[in-house]
Amino acid sequence: MEKNMYEHIPQEKFAFAHKDAILRDHKLETKSRGFLADAMVRFKKNKSSVIAAYIIMFLLLFSIVAPLISPYDVKQVDKRYTNTPPFVRSLAEKGWSFFDGGVVRDSQNDASMDYWNGIALETGYNPVLEILDMQEKTIKQRGKNVTTRTYKIRNNNYYEFGIVYGTFSYEEFERIQAWQNETGIQVIYPYVETKDIKDITNNPNLWYKVKDSKGTADKDKDGNFIPVYSTNKTIEGAPYNSLRIEGDDGSYIYSARKSGSVHCRVCYYNYYQYQNGIEPTYFLGTNLKGQDMMCAIGMGARFSLIFAICVSAINLTLGFIYGSIQGYYGGLVDITMDRISDILSGIPFIVATTLFQLHLAQKVGTVGAFLFAFVLTGWIGTAALTRKQFYRFKSQEYVLAARTLGASDKRLMFRHIFPNALGTIVTSCALVIPGVISSETQLTYLGIVNLSEFVGTSIGELMSQGQLAMTTSPHAMLWPALFFSLLMISFNLFGNGLRDAFNPTTRGED
């Protein structure tokens, strides 16, 4: 029954679906997506690569902005403020402990605390930020119980210098006085003769009476320091007509004669302001040379990135051309060029760099010789990759069709084969740049290449300097190492994401 259910259908039930209608394709309702747009969609799905891209952008921005906002030049150094922690006085006064220049001092006794207190009383800059711990111990000395105290304190490294000795010409001495009168900031402090401080010649912060050659304070019955400022006019170096300390009735001398110049005591913190026009302001501290770390890292990173981009551009161009010729012509041409690549790849990179620095640098400069060392063998990897891609595409139908129509070898290579191989080749570019930066940093870290005269510093040199003071000043190693690590990790994650985006078949590979 079911078999014959459609045998007697009335004719009026039938009708033409498209009688006299012109049929056309419907317009796509969704927007078309090109190759690059599709690659970007795939790239955005890789969250780690996107984060890495933002980190790279931040590091690039830092390398550009840091030297501009830093109040110092990369070649501006301070011989006393070396390996000092971050310090910005205005932020420290607001309670930002990261910027208070703090360093921890262990095993401080009462004499040490008197020394720091002496600096605070004379200069107005108290080195002691806080007392972290205090241990008391009672021992017997000559039949008497004596209590000794041991302190663990946190000091402002910049205030610790207090007073330093300085030798100036008479003209410079006059200029400092004029600056003091103009700003109201005292640089020069009363002179102290060594005979009044047990002939201690290496400690200008002793302005008070001492008991012994160790500098132990000899206080009065009320526990106050006893000043021993000199009033000996016979040794006075030059007239002093400027700011005087509290309690000076005009009898103190502020300098002593010294072979055509004057010898005096100066507050180094204020003398720094006289020299530089600003208070010490180091957002990331200083390094072994006394350079501002923020400016130094920025300049070193700026050079590394520019140098890596230039080297990569040269090597990629040479590799593209060399590999294209190899892969397109093949045969004897390929074998000959491949043997040349094998010979060059056998040259140790460090040996080549060292030889270029010893001999070629005298003619083309340090950076020029460094560039030649990278270019000598850096293009070989790109050439090998390009060669593989040309072997892959040169026998495709569209290439054979173009050759049949009379296309030249140059047109076939760079208009038909190369664009199709470009996706795979481009993804390797993002991994070439970190490779160059890594090699450059290693060579400057080892001291094989010295970029100080050209750039002022480099990331590798900063890490090398920081290693020497890693236990006492960890920030000197931390900042350049952190920058370098973030840059390398981010570039590798970014390169992997770019590879997966342009080559969907390799997604997820490591």
Side-chain angles (χ1 to χ4, degrees):
M1 176 121 189
E2 292 183 2
K3 183 177 180 181
N4 300 320
M5 65 181 298
Y6 298 111
E7 289 185 359
H8 303 290
I9 300 175
Q11 186 175 355
E12 59 270 14
K13 295 289 186 182
F14 292 92
F16 288 102
H18 301 287
K19 186 176 182 180
D20 300 327
I22 301 175
L23 300 180
R24 291 187 176 89
D25 292 335
H26 291 286
K27 185 179 180 180
L28 292 174
E29 295 181 0
T30 58
K31 189 176 180 180
S32 61
R33 183 189 297 165
F35 175 73
L36 291 177
D38 188 59
M40 284 302 299
V41 170
R42 290 196 298 270
F43 179 80
K44 290 178 181 178
K45 291 180 180 179
N46 192 330
K47 300 301 181 184
S48 61
S49 298
V50 173
I51 294 172
Y54 281 116
I55 294 175
I56 292 172
M57 290 172 60
F58 171 77
L59 296 178
L60 287 172
L61 186 64
F62 177 86
S63 66
I64 296 171
V65 174
L68 298 178
I69 64 174
S70 171
Y72 306 99
D73 182 77
V74 69
K75 295 186 179 180
Q76 186 176 351
V77 300
D78 188 276
K79 294 182 179 179
R80 290 189 181 271
Y81 292 152
T82 58
N83 286 330
T84 52
F87 178 68
V88 181
R89 187 177 180 183
S90 59
L91 297 178
E93 290 176 348
K94 293 179 180 179
W96 293 29
S97 58
F98 179 81
F99 295 103
D100 63 6
V103 292
V104 176
R105 303 295 185 200
D106 293 317
S107 305
Q108 302 290 298
N109 54 25
D110 287 330
S112 301
M113 297 303 289
D114 284 342
Y115 177 78
W116 302 127
N117 190 32
I119 293 176
L121 289 174
E122 186 176 32
T123 65
Y125 300 116
N126 187 2
V128 181
L129 295 171
E130 58 178 323
I131 298 175
L132 301 175
D133 187 32
M134 192 262 293
Q135 300 287 337
E136 287 188 348
K137 185 178 181 181
T138 302
I139 58 175
K140 276 197 173 185
Q141 288 184 352
R142 299 177 182 179
K144 295 182 179 180
N145 291 330
V146 178
T147 301
T148 61
R149 299 179 183 85
T150 303
Y151 301 87
K152 180 179 181 181
I153 61 176
R154 191 165 175 272
N155 273 9
N156 184 313
N157 201 186
Y158 295 81
Y159 294 164
E160 284 184 336
F161 290 95
I163 302 294
V164 299
Y165 285 126
T167 302
F168 306 103
S169 65
Y170 286 92
E171 293 79 9
E172 181 69 6
F173 191 71
E174 288 291 336
R175 284 194 289 270
I176 296 175
Q177 292 185 63
W179 186 82
Q180 288 184 156
N181 295 333
E182 180 182 349
T183 61
I185 300 173
Q186 185 165 359
V187 176
I188 305 169
Y189 279 71
Y191 194 74
V192 177
E193 296 183 66
T194 56
K195 66 180 181 64
D196 295 325
I197 51 173
K198 301 294 183 181
D199 292 320
I200 300 173
T201 60
N202 61 349
N203 197 335
N205 283 298
L206 297 181
W207 54 274
Y208 45 82
K209 187 177 180 181
V210 296
K211 297 178 181 179
D212 49 42
S213 59
K214 294 180 180 179
T216 306
D218 186 6
K219 301 178 182 179
D220 61 19
K221 61 180 180 179
D222 296 324
N224 299 318
F225 292 102
I226 303 173
V228 290
Y229 295 122
S230 176
T231 58
N232 186 3
K233 297 292 183 179
T234 61
I235 66 169
E236 188 173 15
Y240 185 78
N241 302 298
S242 187
L243 303 177
R244 293 178 176 269
I245 66 168
E246 185 179 353
D248 181 7
D249 58 1
S251 61
Y252 294 157
I253 65 171
Y254 284 74
S255 65
R257 291 188 301 274
K258 186 176 182 180
S259 60
S261 57
V262 295
H263 188 245
C264 56
R265 300 169 66 243
V266 297
C267 174
Y268 191 74
Y269 189 90
N270 293 341
Y271 180 66
Y272 183 97
Q273 297 181 64
Y274 164 73
Q275 283 189 310
N276 299 282
I278 59 170
E279 294 186 58
T281 304
Y282 297 102
F283 288 91
L284 297 180
T286 63
N287 64 0
L288 184 64
K289 290 184 177 180
Q291 295 171 310
D292 177 32
M293 284 292 290
M294 185 173 72
C295 180
I297 292 173
M299 290 299 295
R302 187 184 294 183
F303 171 80
S304 295
L305 291 166
I306 294 174
F307 183 78
I309 291 171
C310 292
V311 169
S312 300
I314 295 172
N315 285 339
L316 289 171
T317 302
L318 293 176
F320 290 160
I321 297 172
Y322 198 89
S324 299
I325 297 172
Q326 272 189 282
Y328 181 79
Y329 290 104
L332 183 60
V333 174
D334 181 26
I335 293 173
T336 304
M337 297 179 73
D338 208 31
R339 297 294 77 76
I340 294 173
S341 300
D342 290 342
I343 294 171
L344 291 175
S345 63
I347 300 175
F349 176 67
I350 292 182
V351 173
T353 305
T354 305
L355 291 175
F356 282 178
Q357 289 298 314
L358 291 174
H359 302 287
L360 190 60
Q362 300 174 359
K363 298 180 180 180
V364 299
T366 301
V367 177
F370 201 22
L371 181 64
F372 274 115
F374 275 96
V375 173
L376 180 64
T377 59
W379 52 268
I380 294 176
T382 304
L385 181 61
T386 306
R387 171 179 173 270
K388 293 176 184 177
Q389 294 302 309
F390 265 70
Y391 267 112
R392 175 184 175 187
F393 289 106
K394 72 177 183 178
S395 299
Q396 296 293 321
E397 290 80 358
Y398 61 87
V399 176
L400 296 175
R403 181 181 287 113
T404 303
L405 293 173
S408 63
D409 288 345
K410 181 179 178 182
R411 183 177 180 85
L412 290 172
M413 291 169 65
F414 298 107
R415 290 294 300 274
H416 295 282
I417 302 176
F418 185 73
N420 288 281
L422 191 61
T424 303
I425 298 172
V426 165
T427 56
S428 67
C429 300
L431 300 176
V432 171
I433 294 176
V436 175
I437 294 175
S438 178
S439 298
E440 177 262 327
T441 302
Q442 290 175 20
L443 292 170
T444 52
Y445 174 82
L446 295 172
I448 296 174
V449 179
N450 185 3
L451 299 172
S452 297
E453 293 184 3
F454 182 78
V455 186
T457 189
S458 64
I459 299 297
E461 184 182 357
L462 290 173
M463 288 197 293
S464 179
Q465 294 168 0
Q467 184 184 13
L468 300 176
M470 194 158 52
T471 55
T472 56
S473 304
H475 73 278
M477 182 65 174
L478 173 64
W479 302 127
L482 180 63
F483 186 95
F484 177 71
S485 301
L486 282 175
L487 193 64
M488 291 297 99
I489 294 171
S490 299
F491 258 118
N492 279 284
L493 289 174
F494 176 74
N496 289 336
L498 204 63
R499 178 199 63 191
D500 293 345
F502 278 90
N503 296 276
T505 57
T506 62
R507 292 180 66 186
E509 291 186 5
D510 295 326

